[in-house]
Amino acid sequence: MITNQILLLLMLSILWPSAALPFTPGNIGNLFGMAESDGRILQRSKRGWMWNQFFLLEEYTGNDHQYVGKLHSNMDKGEGNVKYVLTGDGAGTLFLIDEKSGDIHATKRLDREEKAMYTLHAKVLDRNTNAELEPDTEFNIKIHDINDNAPKFAKDIYLASVPEMSEVGTSVVTVTATDADDQTYGNSAKLVYSILQGQPYFSVDSENGTIKTALPGMDREVKENYQVVIQAKDMAGQMGGLSGTTTVSITLSDVNDSPPRFANHSFRVTAVESTEIEGAIGRIKADDPDNGRNAEMEYSIVGGHDIFNIITDQTTQEGVIIIKKALDYESKRDYEFRVEVKNTYLDARFIHGLQFKDYATVKVTVEDVDEPPVFTRNPYIIEVHEDTAAGSFVGVVSARDPDADNKPVKYSIDRHTDLERLFNIDPVNGTITTLKALDREMSKWHNVSVVATQINNPRQTTRVPVFIKVLDVNDNAPEFAMSYDTFVCENVKAGQLIQTISAVDTDEPLVGHKFVFSISATNPNFTIEDREDNTANILTLRGGFSRREMSMYFLPVVISDNDYPIQSSTSTLIVRVCACDSRGNMQSCSPEVLPFSDGLTTGALVAILLCVIILLMIVVLFAALRRQRKKEPLIISKEDVRDNVVSYNDEGGGEEDTQAFDIGTLRNPEVMDANKLRRDIIPEMLFPFRRTSPIKDNTDVRDFINGRLQENDSDPTAPPYDSLATYAYEGSGSLAESLSSLESAATEGDQDYDYLSNWGPQFKKLAEMYIGKSPDRET
């Protein structure tokens, strides 16, 4: 170990073994190292020493400050008048100087990996005046490296893969470690790699850390994953060096080195005969120890097959056997074929000497099921004439049980497809007959579903569509194709065309329609000309038509067809006589007004009649309006001595309120109100209500009214609103006395009606009317 003394002292002792000089850096100006020998002062030239660097080892572990070196100036006579000052990197903190002796010490442990060199400046001052005795000089303190850092890998765990069956020496991955020590000094950072775990399968390059395969024929199917531990050691791997480790997880990737193989070379599959086409009946599988695309397989039937096929399920790598044609237990019950399996991807390195395919035999057994009946045809198309009578033969459908026992079958018509019930079917032999007469013009086709049901198993049913075409019979006569608006001009000439007509026929003959047009009787005005193309022209036989003589002509036209039996019809063509211009354009078709003997025309008479009717309507309307306006005044005259009856309608329940009390009881108290209910309400509960016996003749009407009032107040069938009852007799001894004008004063001005306001709310309206009319209250 290098001691903590400065290398420069060693060098000086070697160069000048007879001189015991203190350390003096040569580039500090007049700071010289001086010593006495044999009474003489040895003095070197000012620039004789150019040493400006101190060396210090890192990782000092002593308790005291580490000695670095000594500064000494020839100006220092040992009298204590010189002061040494240190400035620069770490001065005063990391490095301290004894200002009297010039000794430099490090205050704490230094790490080269943090900082390898410090630059400082030294000054020599007069202790008393602080004047610089010599200029400052720069020098360096360099930290020497020691092996205090172990190698480190970038990752704790590396992941790598290499194909299986790789040759020896195949590179897998390179792992590299780093050392923080000085690369340029000694062997502290020189690394050597070695493998601690993973032999004999892998090896590592000692210089660069590359991992390689070391064993041939490594098979993934035998072992797939390996854990390899790599060590990096400094000091070139020598004893005492530091080391670090890392783990490398190596996976053998798959190659297609294993062919597919059937574990069992014979398979037996059972299929029911009712399996639908393209339906799966079974699966077979071969084994391939590879994975990924190296394990992908393809199945096929050797030589193909007309009933079966096999496809590959890409998810499970299974062979799925499907049906190409329907199975029939009664026809064939057993099948056998050979299946081949092979890899879809091959590796050229391994195809030599190995057959990457395998074979297996598949036997299929068909199972019988109870099948529904089968019709001999699907669908049926039957033709029948529309004049076929009810109960006539239409056609026959036939179905059978396909099973070996051939059970009997019964037939029926799905009435949802024959809502009009036009057809019937024999349940035993399938004969279809008509229930009603058919009309092609109503419906040309009838689509009926016939159902065949197995008698011993009604759940086994089959339906078949039966299309019944109704053939045409000439049973409809032709008629006009449209409604014609025909006119003839008054100034027309004979032989002029006035209309072209055509016809239609709802029948449908095989060779097309051929219509014949004619006029039913001899007509002096018009004739018809058949154009031989199912149209005809209407021509005039004469000229000079007059609207006054005849404004409209009816021309019967006979139209016949040429089918069997021949059908004909007569259609009437209406021809109006119109006024036309010289070019034959219609101007007016209304008949002219003809004069009568008294000088009035028909138009004038019609106008007069309309005016009379309008006047009568106005008179009737005016009379009705006057009757509605006529109303009797409230008070006819001030001098009228008759009683004035005022009706109020601002309270009560309407017209039906007159039924609240029977006025006849006042006129004849002996009349019984036998439990009479209100007509304007419906009582919530029905129970008999007893009225008290009528009042005797000598009882005052006031008591009678009070009794009736109490009865109505306690009556549950009474309405929830006030009722106004009118009585023909007000009784005697009334507190209000008589209100009749017979006992009133001669003038209304002498009467004071203020007392009416004290009679209660019943007389409020009356009081307002009379008080308001008092002369002394009018302003």
Side-chain angles (χ1 to χ4, degrees), residues 625-676:
L625 291 176
R626 286 181 59 84
R627 181 174 298 177
Q628 291 181 357
R629 291 179 180 178
K630 186 177 181 181
K631 298 174 64 177
E632 186 177 357
L634 181 64
I635 299 177
I636 300 175
S637 174
K638 295 182 179 179
E639 291 76 21
D640 194 349
V641 296
R642 293 176 299 173
D643 289 341
N644 296 320
V645 180
V646 181
S647 299
Y648 307 97
N649 58 359
D650 52 332
E651 61 178 40
E655 295 179 357
E656 294 297 326
D657 283 346
T658 58
Q659 298 299 324
F661 301 96
D662 189 359
I663 195 171
T665 305
L666 293 177
R667 295 192 178 95
N668 187 5
E670 294 295 332
V671 177
M672 281 283 295
D673 239 350
N675 219 4
K676 189 172 185 180

Side-chain angles (χ1 to χ4, degrees), residues 127 229 262 286 293 390 480 634 721:
R127 183 176 296 274
V229 179
F262 285 109
R293 71 169 185 171
F480 278 157
L634 181 64
Y721 44 81

Side-chain angles (χ1 to χ4, degrees), residues 343-509:
N343 284 129
T344 56
Y345 170 76
L346 299 178
D347 194 330
R349 296 176 297 172
F350 305 102
I351 60 176
H352 303 289
L354 287 176
Q355 189 176 11
F356 280 79
K357 61 179 63 177
D358 199 9
Y359 300 90
T361 301
V362 179
K363 296 180 180 180
V364 180
T365 300
V366 181
E367 291 184 348
D368 186 29
V369 295
D370 190 5
E371 299 175 89
V374 178
F375 283 93
T376 56
R377 284 189 293 166
N378 189 1
Y380 287 86
I381 300 178
I382 302 175
E383 295 181 348
V384 60
H385 286 88
E386 65 176 327
D387 60 350
T388 301
S392 300
F393 173 81
V394 176
V396 178
V397 296
S398 178
R400 66 175 183 85
D401 183 8
D403 296 322
D405 49 4
N406 193 13
K407 299 293 182 179
V409 175
K410 66 176 181 179
Y411 304 92
S412 62
I413 293 178
D414 185 355
R415 290 305 175 185
H416 293 90
T417 62
D418 185 24
L419 297 177
E420 298 179 0
R421 302 185 70 87
L422 299 176
F423 304 98
N424 191 23
I425 189 170
D426 190 298
V428 178
N429 56 27
T431 300
I432 301 175
T433 56
T434 58
L435 289 176
K436 298 179 183 179
L438 305 178
D439 188 359
R440 190 199 68 85
E441 284 68 38
M442 295 296 295
S443 180
K444 298 180 181 180
W445 287 89
H446 296 278
N447 302 332
V448 179
S449 291
V450 175
V451 181
T453 305
Q454 193 172 309
I455 293 179
N456 67 326
N457 188 2
R459 292 178 298 178
Q460 296 293 342
T461 61
T462 304
R463 60 180 60 236
V464 66
V466 179
F467 302 108
I468 301 174
K469 181 180 181 181
V470 182
L471 300 179
D472 183 49
V473 174
N474 192 27
D475 57 349
N476 292 280
E479 56 187 10
F480 278 157
M482 57 183 294
S483 178
Y484 294 100
D485 183 14
T486 306
F487 70 93
V488 60
C489 295
E490 288 182 311
N491 56 355
V492 70
K493 297 180 180 179
Q496 187 169 347
L497 174 66
I498 62 172
Q499 184 69 58
T500 299
I501 60 175
S502 62
V504 292
D505 193 340
T506 56
D507 293 322
E508 187 177 350

Side-chain angles (χ1 to χ4, degrees), residues 758-773:
N758 301 325
W759 288 2
Q762 297 88 343
F763 297 90
K764 181 179 180 181
K765 186 70 177 179
L766 188 62
E768 291 176 358
M769 293 175 58
Y770 278 88
I771 293 174
K773 293 183 176 293

